Amino acid sequence: MNQRVLSGIQPTGSIHLGNYLGAIKNWVAFQKDHDSLFCIVNLHALTTGFGSPAQLREHVRLTAACYIACGIDPNTSAIFAQSQVTGHSELAWLLGCLTPLGWLNRMTQFKDKAGKHKEQASLGLYGYPVLMAADILLYKATHVPVGADQKQHLELARDIAGAFNAQVGKDYFPLPEPCIMGTSTRVMSLRDGTQKMSKSDPSEASRIHMTDDADTIAQKIRKAKTDSALIPATWDELEGRPEAQNLVQMLSTLENQTPQQILNTYAGQNFAPFKARLIEVLQETLNPISGKIHELMTQDQAFLETCLAQGAEKARTLATKHMHEIHGLIGL
Ligand code: TYM
C-alpha cells in the first residue's frame, strides 16, 4: 500500500521547542521517503473561539514559515491551510454521524480544556477529535507523526476508521499508525517539569519559541528550574526529578545521543556546564531557523502565499478523489 504521512499544528502563534522536537523534526525525516502532507489546522484553532481575522491569517503564514524554516520542503511536501480544502469539514460531519458520544466523552483534552465550564464549551471543541480524524482519513494517510499528547486522538481516529470500514463493508480507510518517536515526545515546561511545554502557558519563560534570539534562549535556559542535586550517572537516579529529566532528554535529542550518553558526560557535575552546552546547542539549532522565519515573514510573503496555494491544490486533488469515493460508498 502507498505510504502517506499527514500531520498538523494549530496556528496559534509561533511554534515552540515541543512542537519542533516532538513533531516537526520527525516530519522532516519522513518527507524524504513518504508522500507527505503538512496541514495548518486553522479550523481547529476556532474551537476555543473566533479571534481577530487578520491575526489568524498572519498566524497561518507564520506557521507555514516555521514549517519551511524547520526543513519541510514545499516542493515535495504539501504545506496548506486546512480551511482551503473543504473535504476536511465535510468528512468531519460524515464521520461524526458514526462516532458514538461515549467515545468522545473519554477524550481527556476536552475535559482539560472545558474544565468546570462544560456547559459553555462549544460543540466544535467537543467534536475536535472527529475533525482531526477527518484530516487524516481524507488523505488515507498511513502514518501520523505527533507528540505523545496526541496519542488518545489517534486511537480515536483508528476507531473511527474501523467503524466506517465496518459500516461500508470494505477496508476503505487504512488504520493510521501513530508515530510518536525519539526521546522528546513530551517536552515539559522550563518552569515546572510536571507540565507540558505549551503555547497556552501564561509564562513566556516556560517555553522556547523557534523565533527566540540567542540572548533570549540563554536567559530562559539559565533560569530553567532544576534542583540542587548533582547530575547522576544513571537514568533511574533521575526518578522524581522531572525538571532534570526534561533537560537531559532535550539535550539528548538535540545532540542525537541517548540520555545515558548525556549522563555519562555530565555525571557528578552541577547543572552549570550542562546548561552552558544546552544553550550552545539550542542556539546552533535555532538561530538558522529563526533567521529563516524572519526572512520569510519580512521579505518573502509572496513566496509563502505561493507555497500555501500549491500545497492546497495538491491536497485538494487527493481529497476530491477520496470524497467522491466516500460519497459513492455512503450513497450520497
Ligand atoms: P498542537 O498544535 O497542539 O501541537 C502540534 C504538534 O506538536 C506536538 N507537541 C508536543 N510534542 C512534544 N512536547 C510538547 N510539549 C508538545 N506540544 C505539542 C503535538 O503532539 C503535535 O504533534 N490536535 C493537534 C493538531 C492536529 C493534527 C491533525 C495532528 C489537527 N489535525 C491531524 C496530526 C494529524 C494539535 O493540537 O497539535
Side-chain angles (χ1 to χ4, degrees):
M1 195 204 332
N2 196 11
Q3 296 203 324
R4 183 170 295 130
V5 169
L6 179 129
S7 200
I9 293 185
Q10 296 193 56
T12 34
S14 139
I15 63 163
H16 57 67
L17 191 66
N19 301 133
Y20 177 65
L21 297 181
I24 304 185
K25 198 167 182 280
N26 296 327
W27 302 358
V28 174
F30 264 109
Q31 73 175 346
K32 293 197 187 94
D33 45 15
H34 289 77
D35 182 15
S36 301
L37 299 124
F38 300 114
C39 188
I40 299 162
V41 293
N42 52 353
L43 299 176
H44 277 108
L46 302 177
T47 54
T48 45
F50 295 2
S52 140
Q55 191 185 54
L56 183 56
R57 273 185 220 110
E58 182 70 0
H59 282 170
V60 168
R61 280 193 290 270
L62 178 59
T63 309
C66 289
Y67 286 8
I68 295 169
C70 290
I72 300 300
D73 179 355
N75 293 314
T76 51
S77 300
I79 298 176
F80 64 103
Q82 184 187 32
S83 61
Q84 296 305 299
V85 185
T86 54
H88 290 256
S89 39
E90 186 184 354
L91 184 57
W93 173 260
L94 301 176
L95 298 177
C97 295
L98 288 178
T99 307
L101 292 188
W103 292 2
L104 291 178
N105 289 338
R106 287 205 291 270
M107 296 292 115
T108 54
Q109 181 181 287
F110 178 77
K111 289 181 199 159
D112 293 346
K113 286 203 176 169
K116 293 194 194 88
H117 311 287
K118 216 170 112 202
E119 296 300 316
Q120 309 307 320
S122 69
L123 179 58
L125 187 65
Y126 192 57
Y128 180 112
V130 181
L131 178 59
M132 180 161 160
D135 296 339
I136 299 165
L137 301 178
L138 181 58
Y139 303 99
K140 301 175 98 177
T142 53
H143 294 76
V144 187
V146 286
D149 60 339
Q150 298 300 313
K151 189 165 181 274
Q152 196 186 32
H153 284 158
L154 290 181
E155 282 162 4
L156 183 78
R158 288 170 67 90
D159 287 344
I160 293 177
F164 181 92
N165 291 347
Q167 186 69 41
V168 301
K170 187 176 173 187
D171 283 337
Y172 180 72
F173 289 129
L175 300 190
E177 197 66 52
C179 305
I180 300 171
M181 303 179 327
T183 32
S184 287
T185 58
R186 193 172 169 82
V187 178
M188 308 309 277
S189 154
L190 299 176
R191 308 301 302 155
D192 176 355
T194 63
Q195 299 297 316
K196 193 180 71 167
M197 184 179 284
S198 147
K199 287 174 218 173
S200 51
D201 191 319
S203 165
E204 275 294 321
S206 70
R207 61 187 163 261
I208 306 264
H209 289 282
M210 300 308 283
T211 45
D212 282 347
D213 61 25
D215 286 347
T216 310
I217 293 171
Q219 264 176 31
K220 287 181 179 174
I221 295 299
R222 272 192 217 109
K223 279 200 201 143
K225 190 173 166 199
T226 46
D227 51 46
S228 52
L230 298 177
I231 299 176
T234 63
W235 182 259
D236 286 352
E237 292 169 86
L238 280 176
E239 176 82 46
R241 298 173 64 185
E243 287 83 16
Q245 284 180 342
N246 185 39
L247 295 183
V248 169
Q249 283 175 326
M250 207 181 270
L251 186 59
S252 96
T253 308
L254 289 159
E255 299 267 41
N256 285 317
Q257 290 184 6
T258 62
Q260 186 56 51
Q261 284 173 308
I262 300 294
L263 294 177
N264 293 346
T265 310
Y266 294 96
Q269 302 182 26
N270 67 26
F271 280 92
F274 173 96
K275 281 190 171 182
R277 177 59 193 153
L278 182 56
I279 290 170
E280 197 174 59
V281 72
L282 274 169
Q283 289 172 339
E284 281 165 14
T285 311
L286 266 54
N287 286 357
I289 295 178
S290 62
K292 182 77 184 163
I293 295 172
H294 183 73
E295 185 189 310
L296 287 165
M297 290 302 286
T298 53
Q299 297 159 27
D300 261 339
Q301 292 266 344
F303 172 73
L304 286 177
E305 296 292 354
T306 307
C307 291
L308 284 165
Q310 278 171 0
E313 191 54 42
K314 190 170 161 190
R316 213 177 283 123
T317 305
L318 205 53
T320 306
K321 173 174 175 280
H322 292 161
M323 279 314 292
H324 182 72
E325 291 166 359
I326 292 164
H327 274 218
L329 287 168
I330 299 178
L332 293 172

